[in-house]
Amino acid sequence: MVVWMWYTQQPTDAEVAAEKAKKELVVKEEANAVSSPKSNESSVVAASNDTLQTAKLQKTLGNFAYSAGLPSAKGGVTTIENDLVILKIANKGGYIVEATLKNFERFKKGSGELVKLVNDNNASLNIQLFTNDNHTLNTKDLYFEPSLTKNGEDQILSMRLKAGANEYLEYKYVLKANDYMLDFDIQSQGLNKVLKTTKPLNLELDLKTFTNEKSITYENRYSELYYEHEDGKSDYLGLGSQEDDVVQDVSYIAYKQHFFSSILLTKTAFEKAELQSTNLVKDSAIDTTFTKQFKAVVPLAFKNGEIDQSMNWFYGPTDYKLLKSYDRNLEDIVALGWGIFGWINRHAFIPMYGFLSLFISHGWAIVLFTILVKLVLSPITYKSFLSQAKMKVLRPEIAELGEKYKKEPMKKQQETMKLYNKAGVNPMAGCVPGLLQMPVFYALFQFFPSAIGLRQQPFLWADDLSSFDSIYQLPFTIPAYGNHISLFPILASIAIFFYMKMTTGDQQMAAPQQEGMPDMAKMMNIMIYISPLMMLIFFNGYASGLSLYYFISNSITIGIMLVIKNYIIDSDKIHAQIQENKLKEPKKQGKFQKKLQEVMEQQEAAKAQQKKK
């Protein structure tokens, strides 16, 4: 019985486990009780440190200490991108710290290094804040809180510098699909009690432009700071070592680095802009990282105690057609020349070349483009050569007049003019065609350096038609020439030499030496050698596409001259026509010829009167 009672009252396994757990809990509580004084002490110290840190932040940052206590204050970046650009925006400062163009490589095709307009702290955006509790803060040193959302394909990034839960300064970025342009707004909420609003806030934009091309000197020549007034008139700072200006009513500021640009546009014009451009290339062999440093300071006006400025950012290629598509006059930053030169480029050369390059490579497009330009100018070229041929036929008679009136220079000029009038020859006719061609030549000189389509396009031995075509690297540098030898400038110089050799001989035979005037024959003989030499030196570092154009152009001109001289112009017929013209009534003098004749007669009369005295 006793045994049975002992057996039945034994605890079950579950009861044993429960009792064991109870004992362990008691032991643990006793251990916590022993250690709790130390734990409480650590908590007190941590709370004390947080209080001190908060007090310290409030002392230096005022209300904006709120942002410093958020998780975003630890740093980091937010990336937004589309098929064209990658933009990275940092929590610290809230601005773009990296802007990468996906479809363009630096220096040469296949380099594997994409063009980065912003990278490695070469740019900054800052607003100086003046608080009511007498703090002066710079947004570039403060931490913004990011929030990334989407609206369809649009990526919307809000960066807020907070002074409280509902008080903040916001940078809002909106990047659309397949677009280099993004919306950029600066707004504030609830800061009218935090900031001093009696004066506008100054928005500061700094950028040091990276070198992205093979020729630093060439790239630097076309890196400029452009801006536009609200009335649609664009302008730019000079290319000196440092240029400064203060301009009014500015609607955009463009930091152009030859083939790429960073542009800030505003929908409401800035009241003024303080602009500065500094040349960072003193020696192209040493200063190889940056070309220019651009700075701008613009005011952001308060409206009802808050900031609300709607703007845009453009990070992309300096492409005329692309920039024009935005309908904001951005195409004006492409240096196409002023007046008629720019008109020729915009309405003739850009459409013509753009059409040709759709079907053939850029090198052959230049060749065909050059042929078309020469064909258009061929009537002018023909008239110029015809005038020279007529003057050449008259040369013996002009020489006779020179001998006959050797001691009467004025009389000789008068008789020469009469001969021209009787023969129906205009001595200025040879100059006018040349003058008419000058706008075309200058327009082309502006067109090729601005044509981004030539960038990294190969042709024959040239690997980049927008840069020099080096065939040999020199172990030293020749002043004004460089440290390499380009072949297209050599070919262009040779073509210019033969062209001038041919034309100079005809001009010398056509135009006799005039008393009291410089010996044009000697001057022209010197120019035969100086002009090709200048071409060789000046174009050695220029775009090979431009040198290719001049080589093809002068070669074609030489061919046209040979055809005209040998197969079109007949000197005997011209002579017969001139003799026939002499028998007719003299043509009515033009206003210029008549005025010149009157002046010479007056001078001759005055001279005769002087002799009588």
Side-chain angles (χ1 to χ4, degrees):
M1 185 69 175
V2 174
V3 173
W4 182 83
M5 292 176 62
W6 176 84
Y7 177 78
T8 57
Q9 293 180 11
Q10 287 291 317
T12 63
D13 291 341
E15 292 173 336
V16 171
E19 183 67 21
K20 183 178 179 181
K22 184 178 180 180
K23 290 181 180 180
E24 289 177 351
L25 180 61
V26 171
V27 173
K28 186 175 181 180
E29 288 176 348
E30 291 176 349
N32 289 338
V34 173
S35 62
S36 61
K38 291 183 179 179
S39 297
N40 291 338
E41 184 180 343
S42 298
S43 300
V44 170
V45 172
S48 177
N49 286 340
D50 288 344
T51 302
L52 290 172
Q53 180 67 18
T54 301
K56 184 179 179 181
L57 289 173
Q58 287 179 339
K59 185 177 181 180
T60 57
L61 302 178
N63 293 70
F64 290 100
Y66 185 91
S67 279
L70 298 174
S72 56
K74 296 178 182 179
V77 298
T78 303
T79 301
I80 55 177
E81 65 176 293
N82 56 23
D83 292 338
L84 303 176
V85 296
I86 303 173
L87 302 174
K88 294 184 178 181
I89 297 90
N91 290 353
K92 186 176 182 180
Y95 60 86
I96 296 171
V97 293
E98 187 174 316
T100 305
L101 305 184
K102 288 185 173 183
N103 299 323
F104 297 93
E105 294 178 284
R106 296 183 74 193
F107 306 125
K108 63 179 181 180
K109 185 176 289 187
S111 69
E113 187 177 358
L114 295 177
V115 169
K116 293 180 183 289
L117 301 184
V118 179
N119 194 35
D120 293 337
N121 299 314
N122 74 314
S124 69
L125 180 149
N126 181 57
I127 299 177
Q128 198 168 60
L129 306 175
F130 300 96
T131 67
N132 287 327
D133 51 2
N134 295 321
H135 290 96
T136 300
L137 307 174
N138 291 297
T139 59
K140 66 180 181 181
D141 301 323
L142 304 178
Y143 288 91
F144 288 65
E145 184 180 51
S147 174
L148 180 61
T149 57
K150 283 192 174 183
N151 182 13
E153 293 186 337
D154 295 350
Q155 300 169 64
I156 305 169
L157 175 61
S158 169
M159 303 294 293
R160 291 181 176 179
L161 173 62
K162 292 188 171 183
N166 296 307
E167 296 83 37
Y168 54 82
L169 176 70
E170 180 184 44
Y171 296 164
K172 185 178 179 182
Y173 302 87
V174 181
L175 180 64
K176 303 176 180 65
N178 199 38
D179 199 347
Y180 290 102
M181 185 81 74
L182 64 150
D183 296 338
F184 175 58
D185 299 335
I186 298 181
Q187 301 170 331
S188 67
Q189 177 176 301
L191 295 186
N192 53 339
K193 296 180 180 179
V194 177
L195 300 177
K196 294 179 179 179
T197 61
T198 54
K199 294 182 179 180
L201 299 179
N202 283 332
L203 175 65
E204 303 167 2
L205 308 169
D206 291 356
L207 178 69
K208 292 168 69 175
T209 58
F210 286 114
T211 56
N212 292 305
E213 311 304 324
K214 187 164 62 173
S215 173
I216 296 173
T217 303
Y218 191 61
E219 180 181 11
N220 194 34
R221 185 181 294 119
Y222 293 97
S223 296
E224 301 170 278
L225 192 159
Y226 278 80
Y227 58 90
E228 185 198 47
H229 299 289
E230 191 177 23
D231 60 3
K233 181 182 178 182
S234 63
D235 208 340
Y236 60 93
L237 295 185
L239 294 175
S241 58
Q242 182 168 314
E243 301 287 342
D244 304 86
D245 201 358
V246 178
V247 293
Q248 308 298 319
D249 298 324
V250 176
S251 53
Y252 71 67
I253 300 169
Y255 294 164
K256 175 191 170 187
Q257 49 195 97
H258 198 185
F259 288 128
F260 305 99
S261 295
S262 307
I263 309 173
L264 178 68
L265 306 93
T266 177
K267 296 174 184 178
T268 303
F270 299 121
E271 182 181 344
K272 68 174 182 177
E274 300 174 17
L275 307 175
Q276 184 181 95
S277 172
T278 304
N279 184 12
L280 301 179
V281 181
K282 309 300 180 185
D283 185 344
S284 59
I286 300 173
D287 304 321
T288 58
T289 304
F290 302 104
T291 54
K292 294 283 196 320
Q293 180 164 10
F294 297 131
K295 294 184 178 182
V297 179
V298 296
L300 302 178
F302 284 97
K303 299 174 184 177
N304 300 321
E306 301 291 352
I307 295 293
D308 187 6
Q309 189 81 31
S310 297
M311 296 175 284
N312 298 95
W313 272 115
F314 173 87
Y315 291 99
T318 313
D319 184 303
Y320 180 84
K321 289 184 178 179
L322 171 65
L323 295 174
K324 186 175 176 60
S325 69
Y326 291 109
D327 197 25
R328 301 283 293 273
N329 296 328
L330 297 181
E331 68 273 13
D332 288 347
I333 75 171
V334 182
L336 297 176
W338 54 271
I340 189 173
F341 313 118
W343 188 92
I344 292 172
N345 276 323
R346 284 189 290 271
H347 300 287
F349 292 158
I350 289 178
M352 185 192 305
Y353 183 81
F355 177 77
L356 293 175
S357 60
L358 290 175
F359 304 100
I360 54 179
S361 70
H362 284 270
W364 287 112
I366 291 176
V367 174
L368 185 55
F369 175 79
T370 309
I371 293 172
L372 292 175
V373 171
K374 297 306 294 184
L375 286 176
V376 171
L377 295 176
S378 58
I380 298 176
T381 304
Y382 171 75
K383 284 187 174 296
S384 178
F385 292 155
L386 180 61
S387 177
Q388 289 181 17
K390 289 180 178 180
M391 293 291 291
K392 182 178 177 181
V393 170
L394 285 178
R395 181 180 173 86
E397 296 181 53
I398 294 173
E400 288 179 9
L401 291 175
E403 186 65 29
K404 182 178 180 180
Y405 299 103
K406 184 185 296 185
K407 296 181 180 181
E408 300 178 84
M410 191 63 66
K411 184 68 174 176
K412 182 182 72 174
Q413 291 288 349
Q414 292 176 339
E415 293 301 320
T416 302
M417 293 298 294
K418 288 180 181 178
L419 174 63
Y420 289 151
N421 190 39
K422 287 181 179 180
V425 174
N426 185 353
M428 300 298 295
C431 301
V432 172
L435 293 175
L436 292 176
Q437 294 183 65
M438 287 300 295
V440 175
F441 293 150
Y442 183 78
L444 288 166
F445 185 78
Q446 294 289 105
F447 169 76
F448 282 102
S450 300
I452 191 173
L454 298 179
R455 187 176 185 269
Q456 297 179 357
Q457 293 296 326
F459 183 66
L460 300 178
W461 57 84
D463 59 2
D464 185 349
L465 286 169
S466 73
S467 188
F468 55 82
D469 57 312
S470 176
I471 58 170
Y472 183 75
Q473 192 72 24
L474 297 172
F476 51 83
T477 299
I478 301 174
Y481 183 73
N483 61 353
H484 64 273
I485 297 176
S486 297
L487 183 53
F488 276 130
I490 294 175
L491 296 176
S493 299
I494 293 172
I496 287 176
F497 174 80
F498 283 106
Y499 166 73
M500 294 192 69
K501 193 77 173 174
M502 293 174 64
T503 57
T504 300
D506 289 343
Q507 289 171 356
Q508 290 175 2
M509 292 181 66
Q513 174 65 26
Q514 303 292 329
E515 285 189 30
M517 298 294 289
D519 191 340
M520 296 302 296
K522 290 183 178 180
M523 292 179 64
M524 292 301 295
N525 279 329
I526 294 173
M527 290 302 297
I528 289 175
Y529 300 95
I530 291 180
S531 294
L533 182 61
M534 291 177 63
M535 174 78 184
L536 184 65
I537 295 173
F538 187 68
F539 282 82
N540 190 62
Y542 251 66
S544 53
L546 184 59
S547 299
L548 170 62
Y549 169 82
Y550 280 117
F551 167 61
I552 299 297
S553 177
N554 283 292
S555 299
I556 292 173
T557 302
I558 291 171
I560 292 175
M561 285 175 59
L562 291 173
V563 171
I564 291 175
K565 289 176 67 175
N566 295 326
Y567 300 100
I568 298 177
I569 293 179
D570 189 328
S571 297
D572 293 334
K573 288 184 178 180
I574 291 174
H575 183 268
Q577 183 64 50
I578 288 175
Q579 299 307 316
E580 184 179 337
N581 290 341
K582 287 181 183 181
L583 300 176
K584 298 178 182 178
E585 287 292 327
K587 288 185 177 181
K588 185 178 180 181
Q589 290 181 324
K591 290 183 179 180
F592 176 78
Q593 288 179 309
K594 187 176 181 180
K595 187 66 177 176
L596 184 61
Q597 182 74 18
E598 290 175 356
V599 170
M600 288 190 295
E601 289 175 355
Q602 290 172 5
Q603 290 178 343
E604 187 69 21
K607 187 175 180 181
Q609 188 68 26
Q610 188 69 25
K611 285 182 178 180
K612 290 179 180 179
K613 293 181 180 180

